[in-house]
Amino acid sequence: MDNPRQLLVLYGSQTGTAEDTANRIGREAKRHWFDVRVLALDAYPVAQLLKEKVAVIVCATTGQGDPPDNMKIFWRFIMRKNLPVQSLSNLQYAVLGLGDSSYPKFNFVSKKLHKRLEQIGAHALVNVGLADEQHDLGSDAVIDPWISQLWDKILQLFPLPSGKNIIPAEVRLPPRYHVVFLDMMEAIPTKRYEFDATNQTVIKQQRQPDASSPYLASLAANERVTAKDHFQDVRLLTFDIADSGIRYKPGDVAMIHPENVEERVEEFLNHMGLDGSRLFLIQQNDPNVPLPSSLPQPCSIACVVCTYFDFCSVPRRSFFEMLLQFAEDDIEREKLQEFCTPEGQDARFSYCNRVRRTIMEVMQDFLLTSSRVPFEYLFDLIPPLQPRAFSIASSPTVHPGRLQVLMAVVRYQTRLQHPRQGVCSTWLASLRPESGVKIPLWVKSSSITFPDDIITPIIMVGPGTGVAPFRSFIHERAALGVGGNFLFFGCRSQYKDFYCHEEWSALQSQGRLLLFTAFSRDQEEKIYVQDRLRQNGHLIWTLLHDQLGRFYIAGNAKRMPTDVRAAVVEVLQKYGSMMEAEANSYIESLERDHRWQIETWS
């Protein structure tokens, strides 16, 4: 007889946050004596939903209202118009969305999924949760009360078994994996994927490398494109992909799986008291929890710390919940318990998020070493490194066998002693072509698409590294002898961070590009790309309205896209004789026709 206390938790996650939240719900389910499965949406056979009684779905929204990569198959299936109206009438569900209100389509995927499940007969346990990363207290401001409400409802349907109580949070659950240490001294690779000698052969036989089988690319060039005395270090990185089988087009995105830099790895090993050369095997503790595919078997501790543990990330709420289980004195327990309560959200946010304190720094603060935290529990405490996405900046025609990305090296100061550094950008910036290091990468489609025809004029607004996808497209069109390219580029100074200025000059002289620049700090009055749009309003109106052109925006999501849209609304009012509401409706019609596209990041 089937266990009636079964719970299915599914997630669609792009950066790992939704996966972390799903795992948190899964751990709480075990504390409520449920048999729980936690799976990525595309790892779950969606037709089995017909047999499920309760499902919790945690999903993020990517790009401009797109589902994460690991739920796209599920998304296409669940949105099919031919699904029977009452096909999921036996299912009770809850949807929690993780989003960022600085993006135009805030939590679009979770909202649409919630409505779709209702349309095909499923019954909502609670209202859809809409967590917002921009909230003063972060996403937990919504997640915590939503999960509390969810358990109240689930326990009404499935009361605790007779004689059982909820397992307290401070009681340690079995670790995610079982670790078996080996005494053998034979050499094994210390970098991920290299344990499979056939990797590159297999990749060549595949249509395209992907997350499970990335191509191990060589670094062909690492060029700084900002002045040496400029505060920001921006690199144009060139990867050799000649034998990869990778095919890409302008607008596509390169996914790169980073490593922790050697200095941080050594610091972590030393603090935890771990022997990096020690070998181990990972075994399943729970048949519902698959083993990590990116780690070799056997593996060294140095390998897993270098390539798998994201110990330089800012810890999430779940980290402190698990850390509480290893607290030894009353002061530690009191502080951690505060961090794990709704009332302690602001204290936790101040301690971690506001100053970007890392997992390793927290472990140093609490004096956590391997004598207090068994090694196998690090797989529960520390999330895995996630791939980073970069807009491809090269043209497949102009740069055959090469793939280029334009990357700002993340480094900034908070009130903490050491500067904050981006894991991926710091690692990539440190690499030299002669080092022979291999970089795991693959390519995926972006949320923006460029037209194939040679007639449509293209307006591109790409300040800073947002210019990357436009560089790819402009070079590709220029190679085909096509003009009609109008680029609005903004940066601080013509002399400090005017990326690719020699290329733009050459393309202008060839009649392939019309460039409008906004150097915000080269004069007393700050000038931005939206100012240049207003100044060239008649041209914008002519290109959009008379010549049916397309409008693209790429760059930081904070204010720029909103300011650019506001500038175009003013242009439409002035040159199209529209009221403000009409101008906004006009832009919405452009969006529906894919003539207004945005790619932004926070």
Side-chain angles (χ1 to χ4, degrees), residues 393-536:
S394 52
S395 154
T397 300
V398 177
H399 309 96
R402 294 287 190 266
L403 185 152
Q404 296 179 326
V405 300
L406 193 62
M407 178 195 75
V409 181
V410 178
R411 181 183 173 90
Y412 57 94
Q413 190 71 53
T414 68
R415 62 178 174 82
L416 297 180
Q417 179 181 357
H418 299 294
R420 307 295 90 185
Q421 295 180 323
V423 172
C424 188
S425 63
T426 301
W427 174 60
L428 289 174
S430 72
L431 301 179
R432 297 293 175 264
E434 61 272 14
S435 68
V437 172
K438 301 294 186 180
I439 297 95
L441 62 78
W442 63 99
V443 167
K444 72 182 188 84
S445 298
S446 171
S447 58
I448 64 172
T449 56
F450 293 104
D452 294 325
D453 68 75
I454 61 174
I455 300 173
T456 303
I458 307 297
I459 305 165
M460 294 160 279
V461 182
T465 55
V467 78
F470 304 142
R471 179 178 184 264
S472 174
F473 179 67
I474 292 167
H475 273 298
E476 190 73 3
R477 290 244 287 193
L480 299 174
V482 179
N485 305 307
F486 302 84
L487 175 64
F488 289 78
F489 174 76
C491 64
R492 282 177 169 255
S493 171
Q494 178 181 359
Y495 311 102
K496 303 290 186 180
D497 54 346
F498 186 8
Y499 315 142
C500 311
H501 57 93
E502 293 179 353
E503 296 178 10
W504 305 139
S505 179
L507 290 168
Q508 285 195 98
S509 65
Q510 297 166 17
R512 306 302 182 202
L513 173 69
L514 191 57
L515 176 68
F516 304 86
T517 55
F519 305 121
S520 62
R521 303 299 196 275
D522 280 351
Q523 61 286 312
E524 184 175 345
E525 180 184 358
K526 293 179 181 178
I527 299 175
Y528 298 107
V529 285
Q530 57 266 28
D531 300 313
R532 296 303 189 206
L533 288 167
R534 292 187 185 93
Q535 293 167 7
N536 294 276

Side-chain angles (χ1 to χ4, degrees), residues 544-565:
L544 283 178
H545 188 264
D546 299 339
Q547 300 183 29
L548 303 180
R550 291 192 179 197
F551 196 101
Y552 292 84
I553 305 170
N556 193 289
K558 287 184 178 178
R559 289 185 53 185
M560 183 272 296
T562 301
D563 291 342
V564 167
R565 183 185 177 113

Side-chain angles (χ1 to χ4, degrees), residues 203-204 206-210 213-217 239-249 252-255 392 396 401-403 439-444:
I203 292 233
K204 291 176 186 178
Q206 293 177 340
R207 289 176 298 173
Q208 286 273 276
D210 56 22
S213 297
Y215 179 69
L216 301 180
F239 302 99
D240 185 347
I241 59 166
D243 297 326
S244 67
I246 289 177
R247 298 180 298 277
Y248 69 87
K249 60 185 183 300
D252 283 352
V253 171
M255 303 299 296
I392 297 177
R402 294 287 190 266
L403 185 152
I439 297 95
L441 62 78
W442 63 99
V443 167
K444 72 182 188 84

Side-chain angles (χ1 to χ4, degrees), residues 308-453:
Y308 188 77
F309 289 152
D310 193 9
F311 58 85
C312 289
S313 61
V314 176
R316 302 183 177 106
R317 156 78 172 270
S318 59
F319 174 83
F320 292 100
E321 291 174 339
M322 287 183 282
L323 205 59
L324 179 60
Q325 300 160 20
F326 301 96
E328 292 186 342
D329 63 58
D330 293 340
I331 295 177
E332 276 188 354
R333 297 182 66 80
E334 182 179 346
K335 176 55 67 176
L336 291 171
Q337 284 172 338
E338 178 190 9
F339 284 169
C340 296
T341 62
E343 296 77 18
Q345 284 185 105
D346 189 53
R348 188 180 75 250
F349 196 81
S350 296
Y351 173 67
C352 283
N353 299 72
R354 287 196 175 99
V355 295
R356 310 302 294 173
R357 195 183 306 270
T358 67
I359 285 175
M360 180 165 63
E361 289 169 332
V362 174
M363 297 181 85
Q364 291 168 338
D365 281 355
F366 284 85
L367 302 177
L368 294 174
T369 64
S370 57
S371 64
R372 292 181 58 187
V373 182
F375 176 73
E376 60 188 358
Y377 274 100
L378 294 181
F379 289 92
D380 295 75
L381 273 172
I382 305 176
L385 281 165
Q386 297 292 327
R388 271 54 166 184
F390 297 91
S391 295
I392 297 177
S394 52
S395 154
T397 300
V398 177
H399 309 96
R402 294 287 190 266
L403 185 152
Q404 296 179 326
V405 300
L406 193 62
M407 178 195 75
V409 181
V410 178
R411 181 183 173 90
Y412 57 94
Q413 190 71 53
T414 68
R415 62 178 174 82
L416 297 180
Q417 179 181 357
H418 299 294
R420 307 295 90 185
Q421 295 180 323
V423 172
C424 188
S425 63
T426 301
W427 174 60
L428 289 174
S430 72
L431 301 179
R432 297 293 175 264
E434 61 272 14
S435 68
V437 172
K438 301 294 186 180
I439 297 95
L441 62 78
W442 63 99
V443 167
K444 72 182 188 84
S445 298
S446 171
S447 58
I448 64 172
T449 56
F450 293 104
D452 294 325
D453 68 75

Side-chain angles (χ1 to χ4, degrees), residues 568-586:
V568 176
V569 165
E570 291 180 28
V571 167
L572 296 174
Q573 289 178 274
K574 181 176 182 179
Y575 295 96
S577 301
M578 298 180 187
M579 301 295 289
E580 183 176 354
E582 291 178 293
N584 279 299
S585 295
Y586 185 90

Side-chain angles (χ1 to χ4, degrees), residues 148-159:
S148 178
Q149 183 184 7
L150 173 69
W151 284 119
D152 288 344
K153 188 67 177 180
I154 289 178
L155 289 177
Q156 291 176 20
L157 300 172
F158 302 96

